[in-house]
Amino acid sequence: MSNHTLAELASVRMGATLRGRDATRPDPAGSFRLIQISDLDDRGGFLTQDFTRVSPREAISSSVVLRPDDILFPNRGARTTASLFEGSDSPCFVGAQFFIIRPSSRKVMPAYVAWLLRTRDATDYFDLHRRGSNVLTLQKGAMEAFQVPLPSWEIQHAIVETDRLHHHACDLESRLAVLRHLHLEETLINRAHRP
């Protein structure tokens, strides 16, 4: 296994800079969809696929129009999450409060990088490198210098799949807990009504 900086494996760029109050105003007829931080959960998932349609007044550079396997990482605030963009039916972009990480090496799985960026080690690293008093920000240089351990493709795949199964199991356990609660409540209500 070897270590690389993120910059050796991927490009890191800011999202689009949008100017003016109306820049992110929803427009049902808009030609672009805008992904916002509120669209992401802490586990790297998307809370919706129905991202807000907008009509930017300025041209959106093709370099910030999202492609499948781009990784979105908020660069403002204390939140550490990374989401793998898998595509959409319309062109999508993000604002400058995101880094767009675009893997450029065939040695690394985008899903592996997204997983690594959500780990406790990554959180500790980013906490150490955020700057600012009112709004914490993470500089591009710190993002690019993040160290990526690079195991074989097979091990990367196993890590990603194990993480996916773990989260699926957690979801099932949560649903089971709700069902147990409802069953117990119904049993107790029936008992209360029994003569």
Side-chain angles (χ1 to χ4, degrees), residues 59-125:
I60 299 296
S61 167
S62 61
S63 66
V64 298
V65 175
L66 299 178
R67 305 173 189 171
D69 288 339
D70 280 350
I71 300 160
L72 310 180
F73 189 94
N75 56 43
R76 294 183 190 162
R79 191 173 176 199
T80 298
T81 188
S83 301
L84 184 67
F85 178 73
E86 295 180 337
S88 174
D89 59 350
S90 301
C92 292
F93 70 100
V94 291
Q97 70 271 35
F98 280 97
F99 286 129
I100 302 169
I101 300 161
R102 186 166 290 160
S104 56
S105 171
R106 293 178 183 270
K107 296 179 182 175
V108 67
M109 288 181 66
Y112 169 74
V113 176
W115 167 79
L116 189 65
L117 292 172
R118 294 190 300 266
T119 62
R120 184 181 304 274
D121 284 355
T123 298
D124 291 345
Y125 173 84

Side-chain angles (χ1 to χ4, degrees), residues 177-191:
V178 170
L179 291 173
R180 282 181 177 147
H181 173 76
L182 291 174
H183 176 71
L184 176 63
E185 188 176 77
E186 185 176 336
T187 301
L188 294 177
I189 287 174
N190 288 339
R191 179 111 180 236

Side-chain angles (χ1 to χ4, degrees), residues 76-176:
R76 294 183 190 162
R79 191 173 176 199
T80 298
T81 188
S83 301
L84 184 67
F85 178 73
E86 295 180 337
S88 174
D89 59 350
S90 301
C92 292
F93 70 100
V94 291
Q97 70 271 35
F98 280 97
F99 286 129
I100 302 169
I101 300 161
R102 186 166 290 160
S104 56
S105 171
R106 293 178 183 270
K107 296 179 182 175
V108 67
M109 288 181 66
Y112 169 74
V113 176
W115 167 79
L116 189 65
L117 292 172
R118 294 190 300 266
T119 62
R120 184 181 304 274
D121 284 355
T123 298
D124 291 345
Y125 173 84
F126 294 124
D127 285 349
L128 193 63
H129 288 84
R130 287 189 174 99
R131 299 288 181 264
S133 50
N134 292 331
V135 179
L136 294 173
T137 60
L138 184 66
Q139 299 300 309
K140 181 181 172 186
M143 193 77 206
E144 291 176 325
F146 179 73
Q147 292 290 308
V148 179
L150 196 61
S152 68
W153 188 270
E154 289 74 20
I155 291 177
Q156 292 178 49
H157 182 270
I159 288 171
V160 169
E161 187 62 10
T162 300
D163 183 61
R164 186 188 69 78
L165 291 173
H166 168 71
H167 287 299
H168 183 62
C170 289
D171 290 341
L172 290 175
E173 287 171 7
S174 294
R175 289 173 55 191
L176 184 59

Side-chain angles (χ1 to χ4, degrees), residues 33 39 48-53:
R33 289 185 181 270
D39 293 327
T48 180
Q49 292 294 319
D50 188 22
F51 307 117
T52 305
R53 283 191 178 276

